[in-house]
């Protein structure tokens, strides 16, 4: 496993001419390739802001996000990369459903090749081969000719993951990839992302509210709290008490030994 992304005393938030809103500060952590890393935290704690900052959609307030260049294995701050370089390093899958009609699965996955195809977006034979491989890896070959608006939420999410794979970036960030899915589809998508991380040696980092699934499937957890960021395996964060702090409430208990959550039924 390689250290792909390193956060050093990172502060995130929003800056206007008159005001700075700090969402979280002094964040330190390392994201590795070959692992599925899940970002947990209560609503409003800053998970989406962190993902947007890691993706270079918005600037950091202070601190550094160091990223390893897959071509020369050297680390640079993401602010030093051009947009074109970033498009070949980072793939992003957002929560929002793609609002596209009259576009097939194969065509949408093909858009993942845009960092390489130039202005006109014409796919070469090699681009088509890469698109085909991405579709096969995700297991959606049967959906190739289907229009996006006819797909279920779970199928559509797999198409977006295939598009990110076709982009051939070492890093893939996903914001709530299981948000609209039924439980079997949630499990399937999480297992798929874990398999891709391990088999393709991708750096896969996602935010999620599916705590129980993360405890079972994730290799590493990032738990955002109001005053700190805890990073470690599910077992490590359980032993440190961080997961109990996050999960346990009236009527909800967390068993740190078995990594299970118990909800008390109403009397």
């Amino acid at each position: 496993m390689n250290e792909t992304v390193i956060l050093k005393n990172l502060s995130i938030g929003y800056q206007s001419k008159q005001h700075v809103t700090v969402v979280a500060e002094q964040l330190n952590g390392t994201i590795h390739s070959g692992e599925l890393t899940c970002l947990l935290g209560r609503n409003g704690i800053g998970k989406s802001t962190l993902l947007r900052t890691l993706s270079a959609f918005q600037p950091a307030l202070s601190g550094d996000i160091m990223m390893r260049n897959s071509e020369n294995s050297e680390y640079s701050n993401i602010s030093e990369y051009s947009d074109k370089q970033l498009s070949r390093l980072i793939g992003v899958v957002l929560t929002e459903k793609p609002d596209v009609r009259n576009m097939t699965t194969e065509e949408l996955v093909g858009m993942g090749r845009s960092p390489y195809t130039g202005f006109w977006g014409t796919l070469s034979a090699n681009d088509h081969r890469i698109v085909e491989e991405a579709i096969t890896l995700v297991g959606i070959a049967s959906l190739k000719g289907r229009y996006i608006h006819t797909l279920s939420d779970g199928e559509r999410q797999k198409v977006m993951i295939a598009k990110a794979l076709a982009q051939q970036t070492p890093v893939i960030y996903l914001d709530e990839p299981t948000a609209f899915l039924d439980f079997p589809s949630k499990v399937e998508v999480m297992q798929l992302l874990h398999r891709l991380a391990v088999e393709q040696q991708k750096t896969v980092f996602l935010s999620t509210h599916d705590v129980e699934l993360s405890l079972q499937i994730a290799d590493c957890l990032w738990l955002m709290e109001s005053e700190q960021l805890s990073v470690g395996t599910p077992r490590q964060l359980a032993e440190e008490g961080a997961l109990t702090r996050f999960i346990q409430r009236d009527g909800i208990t967390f068993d740190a030994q078995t990594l299970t959550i118990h909800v008390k039924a109403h009397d």
Side-chain angles (χ1 to χ4, degrees), residues 105 135 139-146 151 155:
T105 291
I135 286 171
I140 53 171
S142 61
L143 305 178
K144 270 171 62 173
R146 290 268 303 276
L151 302 179
E155 289 169 337

Side-chain angles (χ1 to χ4, degrees), residues 84 87-89 112-118 122 127 166-169:
K84 184 169 185 177
S87 72
R88 297 184 179 197
L89 288 172
R113 298 303 298 156
S114 59
Y116 310 92
T117 55
T122 307
D127 291 321
Q167 201 174 329
Q168 288 193 315
T169 57

Side-chain angles (χ1 to χ4, degrees), residues 75-234:
Y75 289 86
S76 300
N77 195 303
I78 64 165
S79 62
E80 296 172 20
Y81 289 107
S82 67
D83 288 346
K84 184 169 185 177
Q85 286 173 316
L86 285 171
S87 72
R88 297 184 179 197
L89 288 172
I90 301 171
V92 181
V93 179
L94 300 173
T95 312
E96 292 80 24
K97 300 177 186 180
D99 185 21
V100 291
R101 300 186 76 82
N102 300 322
M103 181 179 282
T104 65
T105 291
E106 189 172 20
E107 288 167 342
L108 185 56
V109 175
M111 289 180 68
R113 298 303 298 156
S114 59
Y116 310 92
T117 55
F119 180 76
W120 298 109
T122 307
L123 301 191
S124 67
N126 187 52
D127 291 321
H128 282 293
R129 179 185 59 76
I130 291 165
V131 167
E132 190 73 32
E133 284 176 1
I135 286 171
T136 303
L137 273 172
V138 179
I140 53 171
S142 61
L143 305 178
K144 270 171 62 173
R146 290 268 303 276
Y147 286 108
I148 297 300
H149 68 273
T150 70
L151 302 179
S152 70
D153 289 338
E155 289 169 337
R156 198 181 294 118
Q157 195 61 281
K158 288 180 184 176
V159 173
M160 298 311 292
I161 292 167
K163 175 177 174 284
L165 279 178
Q167 201 174 329
Q168 288 193 315
T169 57
V171 176
I172 300 176
Y173 294 135
L174 304 99
D175 189 14
E176 296 281 349
T178 57
F180 304 112
L181 308 185
D182 58 34
F183 187 73
S185 298
K186 286 177 189 283
V187 175
E188 206 177 338
V189 166
M190 290 283 272
Q191 287 175 328
L192 167 65
L193 291 168
H194 186 265
R195 178 169 61 80
L196 292 172
V198 174
E199 293 178 3
Q200 302 293 312
Q201 283 300 293
K202 299 280 187 187
T203 302
V204 182
F205 183 88
L206 63 91
S207 67
T208 181
H209 286 295
D210 291 315
V211 179
E212 288 175 285
L213 266 184
S214 299
L215 293 175
Q216 295 179 65
I217 297 175
D219 299 296
C220 183
L221 297 178
W222 285 32
L223 176 58
M224 285 185 80
E225 298 174 274
S226 55
E227 297 297 325
Q228 68 187 94
L229 172 67
S230 300
V231 176
T233 65

Side-chain angles (χ1 to χ4, degrees), residues 18-34:
Q18 290 83 26
H19 190 63
V20 175
T21 303
V22 178
V23 173
E25 54 190 345
Q26 295 298 305
L27 303 176
N28 291 280
T30 301
I31 312 173
H32 294 87
S33 62

Side-chain angles (χ1 to χ4, degrees), residues 12 49 71 138 147 178 232 258 267:
I12 59 173
T49 305
E71 291 178 6
V138 179
Y147 286 108
T178 57
T258 59
D267 296 329

